[in-house]
Amino acid sequence: MVEARNLTAGYPGRAVLENVTLALRPGRVLVLLGPNGCGKSTLLRTLPGLLPPLGGEILLDGKPLGSYGPRQAARRIAYLPQSRAVPSITARRMVLHGRFPHLSFPRRWGRKDHEAVDRALAAADALDLADRPLPELSGGQRQKVYLAMALAQETETLLMDEPTTYLDIRHQLEVLALVRRLAGEGRAVALVLHDLCLALTMADDAAVLGEGRLLALGEPEEIYRSGILARVMGVSLDRAAGPGGWRYFCRLPEEG
């Protein structure tokens, strides 16, 4: 389990978030919510150690994250960034990069690695893209490949920054269904989403960031009733009962 305790996250000389305490729990999906520039991506990059904390601590299975080597940590935490470079390699080769933390010397991929890649490509609905060069793929297709690369790491914790970027609505829903499936397998998943309506529908927990701190943390029902999202995001948030639970709706506040 990944825990942040009194964490200050940001960059040398500039703290973006202060005094953040939260945990990524196995079997649960945590969504980070808040306006642009509030520190969601910064927090997500700090949790696996890609950005060094400016204060507080991060624990991995009860031990300081810094006590793990990079490969040890990468076997436990996978991170999917919002965007990344597009090298001139095939999709399968890109997904194989997710197996690097599992390779021993000499670094040669074996049967288990290729099987893990096939599983990841299939789970991300990208198996048909395996032999195509990345530069020839659309933004949505590349996003599926990058998701498959994160899945190929086969970690207990998965961090995803805007995983539905570039995807049409059908594939957005498929990715979020996959997130729910991963949590059902016992993994801890944390992701940044800008779509409040989708986030509140699929999350187990939501963390609302703003004003340089963690403003609220709780289950979607608690967050909705608190009114914090409407205040922080500057929208009116309503809901109605639908098949399988609540459906949320955002609109601009009425003037006057």
Side-chain angles (χ1 to χ4, degrees), residues 3-256:
E3 299 176 77
R5 294 184 181 176
N6 302 314
L7 179 67
T8 297
Y11 307 89
R14 184 172 71 89
V16 178
L17 290 166
E18 296 184 294
N19 198 34
V20 174
T21 295
L22 53 75
L24 312 184
R25 303 186 182 281
R28 296 184 73 82
V29 177
L30 171 68
V31 177
L32 305 181
L33 302 173
N36 291 337
C38 72
K40 301 183 297 294
S41 295
T42 299
L43 176 59
L44 208 66
R45 291 184 65 201
T46 305
L47 290 174
L50 298 176
L51 284 177
L54 301 181
E57 62 179 346
I58 301 170
L59 302 178
L60 176 56
D61 296 333
K63 300 178 182 179
L65 181 62
S67 67
Y68 293 83
R71 288 182 60 211
Q72 288 179 309
R75 291 174 189 165
R76 293 168 171 80
I77 309 173
Y79 168 72
L80 174 66
Q82 188 173 15
S83 60
R84 57 188 314 136
V86 186
S88 295
I89 59 176
T90 65
R92 181 182 297 278
R93 185 82 175 184
M94 189 73 194
V95 177
L96 272 167
H97 288 183
R99 298 300 299 168
F100 280 162
H102 299 276
L103 298 183
S104 56
F105 185 82
R107 289 194 168 187
R108 294 177 181 172
W109 292 299
R111 178 178 55 83
K112 289 184 178 180
D113 299 306
H114 288 284
E115 290 174 349
V117 165
D118 284 341
R119 287 194 299 270
L121 284 165
D125 190 29
L127 196 55
D128 61 324
L129 306 174
D131 298 318
R132 294 182 58 185
L134 279 179
E136 296 181 6
L137 302 182
S138 69
Q141 290 172 324
R142 290 175 195 159
Q143 191 70 359
K144 290 182 182 180
V145 173
Y146 300 146
L147 173 59
M149 184 172 65
L151 294 177
Q153 266 179 257
E154 296 187 326
T155 58
E156 302 161 354
T157 300
L158 181 60
L159 311 178
M160 311 168 76
D161 194 352
E162 283 292 327
T164 57
T165 298
Y166 305 120
L167 299 180
D168 59 42
I169 185 60
R170 175 184 174 84
H171 289 103
Q172 288 181 40
L173 295 175
E174 288 178 348
V175 167
L176 297 181
L178 172 60
V179 167
R180 289 289 349 155
R181 194 158 66 247
L182 294 172
E185 295 170 359
R187 304 194 206 189
V189 184
L191 63 158
V192 172
L193 283 180
H194 281 294
D195 190 322
L196 299 182
C197 304
L198 284 177
L200 293 173
T201 299
M202 58 80 63
D204 295 305
D205 302 290
V208 183
L209 305 176
E211 303 166 11
R213 58 194 177 95
L214 175 62
L215 296 174
L217 176 64
E219 296 182 358
E221 173 71 13
E222 179 183 357
I223 296 297
Y224 172 79
R225 288 185 176 276
S226 73
I228 186 67
L229 277 174
R231 178 175 71 81
V232 171
M233 302 298 294
V235 298
S236 292
L237 185 62
D238 302 302
R239 69 181 183 181
W246 293 108
R247 293 294 180 265
Y248 295 86
F249 308 92
C250 293
R251 58 183 173 83
L252 292 174
E254 295 181 2
E255 297 184 0

